[in-house]
């Protein structure tokens, strides 16, 4: 092997390692404003409706396309400006995110729910802002032939972080309490800032002297207009919205559902812990291999099938309460399905982006993808209370079916540009 090829391989592995750490930084706050927070509230005996509406805390994930154009066009404020167009904003948001997690750890939801929800909302906002920059850096820095590997590294780091801020925090809360367990996430969140400082800055676009109106058009109008000029743009957006609908409804209520079934925190932590992580990593690897062999479209259809089968297990779990091994089995299957979905879906969204408008278009697509969770998902507590647990989870199965229908339409009329992507990879 020549010295040049060795250096190239070493550089690729270093870049994959960095995107894995950035994925860890992206995944860590998600459970803290999601599953972990909802279990904390459930243990504080708050009503189902209030717990369900915590899904709306993450509305920033669905609205990040609003401020993504500004981050695409403007430089970070001093002293972060010197780090570059992408890294400057990224380090700033990572520091603010760590501070918001620290603030969340110091609240007491049973006594001051408003403070907990405000800090949870700030965690979600800074997390969404961080995601804009991480996604832009990943798509701009990695060539097409490495996008699959970069996505896999990102998802692995993302899921490992969710394990720590999910089952890790839950297990620690049994020993040291919720506040101290969440506070331990602050230094882990700062690992992302350390990785960002080691990341190369992608080459900026050619500088042009533009008026304010022209810059606004370039930042907002052009990226959206370019996307909506494509054939099937509306159908594709409908699929992106529907893809996670069933899982959005089901996932929001899992923490109070497990509590209702009589599982304690230790059992929940074990069920969502290492075995689930192994399953999601296996699912991610399987999803990446499926994308490479069968193409993004068929990988997505397979992912939807696994997601629906995983949803079937939730009402089955309700028939066997107090049985930890059943809960573990459900968690492992769900995690494997989630890994396949992550690998296929992120690759699909990345392939839809024009590199001239990376941050804005990916922010739009990922925002739309989170729309079901952050809007309809907020009513899951109301639905579960009105319908009862078993009928509610049967309803989530039905809600997953429209995405499969739309995917079949896309495969027939607007298939992903597999040939173009493979040619670029070759």
């Amino acid at each position: 092997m020549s010295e040049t090829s060795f250096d190239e391989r070493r550089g690729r592995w270093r870049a994959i390692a960095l995107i894995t750490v950035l994925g860890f930084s992206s995944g860590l706050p998600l459970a803290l404003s999601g599953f972990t927070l909802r279990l904390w509230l459930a243990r504080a005996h708050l009503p189902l409706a209030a717990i369900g509406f915590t899904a709306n805390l993450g509305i920033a994930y669905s609205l990040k396309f609003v401020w993504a154009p500004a981050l695409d066009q403007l430089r970070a404020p001093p002293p972060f400006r010197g780090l570059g167009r992408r890294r400057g904003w990224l380090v700033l948001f990572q520091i603010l995110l760590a501070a918001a997690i620290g603030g969340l750890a110091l609240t007491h939801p049973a006594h001051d729910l408003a403070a907990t929800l405000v800090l949870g909302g700030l965690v979600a906002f800074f997390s969404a802002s961080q995601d804009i920059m991480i996604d832009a850096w990943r798509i701009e820095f990695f060539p097409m032939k490495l996008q699959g590997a970069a996505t896999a590294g990102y998802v692995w780091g993302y899921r490992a972080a969710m394990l720590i801020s999910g089952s890790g925090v839950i297990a620690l809360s049994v020993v040291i309490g919720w506040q101290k367990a969440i506070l331990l996430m602050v230094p882990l969140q700062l690992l992302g800032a350390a990785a960002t400082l080691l990341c190369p800055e992608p080459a900026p676009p050619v500088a042009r002297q533009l008026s304010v109106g022209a810059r606004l058009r370039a930042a907002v109008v052009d990226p959206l207009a370019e996307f909506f000029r494509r054939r099937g743009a509306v159908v594709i957006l409908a699929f992106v919205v529907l893809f996670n609908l069933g899982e959005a409804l089901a996932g929001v209520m899992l923490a109070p559902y497990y509590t209702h079934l009589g599982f304690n925190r230790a059992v929940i932590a074990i069920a969502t812990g290492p075995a689930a992580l192994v399953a999601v990593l296996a699912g991610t690897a399987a999803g990446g291999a499926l994308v490479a062999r069968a193409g993004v479209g068929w990988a997505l259809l397979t992912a939807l099938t696994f997601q629906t089968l995983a949803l079937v297990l939730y009402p089955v779990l309700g028939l066997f309460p107090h049985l930890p091994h059943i809960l573990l089995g459900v968690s492992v299957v769900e995690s494997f399905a989630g890994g396949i979905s992550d690998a296929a879906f992120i690759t699909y969204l990345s392939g839809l982006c024009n590199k001239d408008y990376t941050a804005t278009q990916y922010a739009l697509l990922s925002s739309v993808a989170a729309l079901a969770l952050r809007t309809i998902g907020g009513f899951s507590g109301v639905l579960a209370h009105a319908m009862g647990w078993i009928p509610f989870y049967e309803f989530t199965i039905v809600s997953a079916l429209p995405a499969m229908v739309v995917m079949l339409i896309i495969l027939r009329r607007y298939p992903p540009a597999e040939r173009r992507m493979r040619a670029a990879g070759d």
Side-chain angles (χ1 to χ4, degrees), residues 325-408:
H325 62 283
I326 301 294
L327 176 62
L328 177 63
V330 170
S331 179
V332 166
V333 173
E334 189 278 331
S335 297
F336 183 80
I340 294 179
S341 296
D342 284 348
F345 196 53
I346 293 175
T347 302
Y348 179 64
L349 295 187
S350 299
L352 292 174
C353 293
N354 184 319
K355 284 199 172 184
D356 292 335
Y357 314 111
T358 308
T360 300
Q361 287 188 346
Y362 195 90
L364 170 67
L365 292 167
S366 56
S367 296
V368 170
L371 192 62
L373 173 61
R374 307 305 173 186
T375 55
I376 299 173
F379 292 94
S380 57
V382 176
L383 291 174
H385 179 74
M387 300 172 68
W389 286 114
I390 303 299
F392 168 74
Y393 276 104
E394 291 172 344
F395 173 73
T396 66
I397 299 170
V398 177
S399 66
L401 299 180
M404 299 186 74
V405 175
V406 178
M407 185 72 252
L408 291 172

Side-chain angles (χ1 to χ4, degrees), residues 115-390:
T116 301
L117 296 182
V118 168
L119 268 299
L122 286 175
V123 168
F125 174 78
F126 292 130
S127 174
S129 301
Q130 174 190 228
D131 288 351
I132 293 171
M133 290 294 99
I134 291 177
D135 292 329
W137 183 83
R138 173 177 55 82
I139 296 171
E140 291 176 0
F141 180 76
F142 288 95
M144 179 60 71
K145 64 182 180 181
L146 289 180
Q147 282 292 332
T151 299
Y154 174 86
V155 172
W156 282 28
Y158 184 92
R159 286 290 185 164
M162 289 184 65
L163 170 72
I164 293 173
S165 62
S167 63
V169 168
I170 294 166
L172 283 172
S173 72
V174 178
V175 181
I176 62 177
W178 287 105
Q179 282 80 9
K180 291 180 181 178
I182 295 174
L183 197 60
L184 288 175
M185 298 301 104
V186 174
L188 293 180
Q189 187 62 58
L190 291 173
L191 289 176
T196 301
L197 295 176
L198 297 174
C199 289
E201 176 70 17
V206 178
R208 294 179 295 169
Q209 297 296 325
L210 299 174
S211 65
V212 175
R215 292 184 68 180
L216 180 64
R217 184 170 61 252
V220 181
V221 178
D222 291 349
L224 299 182
E226 191 278 335
F227 181 84
F228 282 104
R229 280 196 297 266
R230 304 177 194 178
R231 289 182 62 250
V234 175
V235 177
I236 290 171
L237 279 183
F239 169 72
V240 172
V241 171
L242 294 171
F243 183 79
N244 285 316
L245 178 59
E247 182 59 32
L249 288 170
V252 173
M253 282 290 101
L254 282 182
Y257 184 44
Y258 293 164
T259 300
H260 169 77
L261 294 178
F263 297 112
N264 60 38
R265 281 181 282 174
V267 170
I268 294 172
I270 292 171
T272 58
L277 177 61
V278 171
V280 78
L281 296 183
T284 302
L290 193 61
V291 168
R293 290 181 177 273
V296 178
W298 287 105
L300 284 169
L301 194 59
T302 303
L304 283 167
T305 303
F306 270 95
Q307 274 190 351
T308 305
L309 291 175
L311 290 173
V312 172
L313 296 178
Y314 292 132
V316 173
L317 178 64
L319 302 177
F320 300 94
H322 309 293
L323 296 179
H325 62 283
I326 301 294
L327 176 62
L328 177 63
V330 170
S331 179
V332 166
V333 173
E334 189 278 331
S335 297
F336 183 80
I340 294 179
S341 296
D342 284 348
F345 196 53
I346 293 175
T347 302
Y348 179 64
L349 295 187
S350 299
L352 292 174
C353 293
N354 184 319
K355 284 199 172 184
D356 292 335
Y357 314 111
T358 308
T360 300
Q361 287 188 346
Y362 195 90
L364 170 67
L365 292 167
S366 56
S367 296
V368 170
L371 192 62
L373 173 61
R374 307 305 173 186
T375 55
I376 299 173
F379 292 94
S380 57
V382 176
L383 291 174
H385 179 74
M387 300 172 68
W389 286 114
I390 303 299

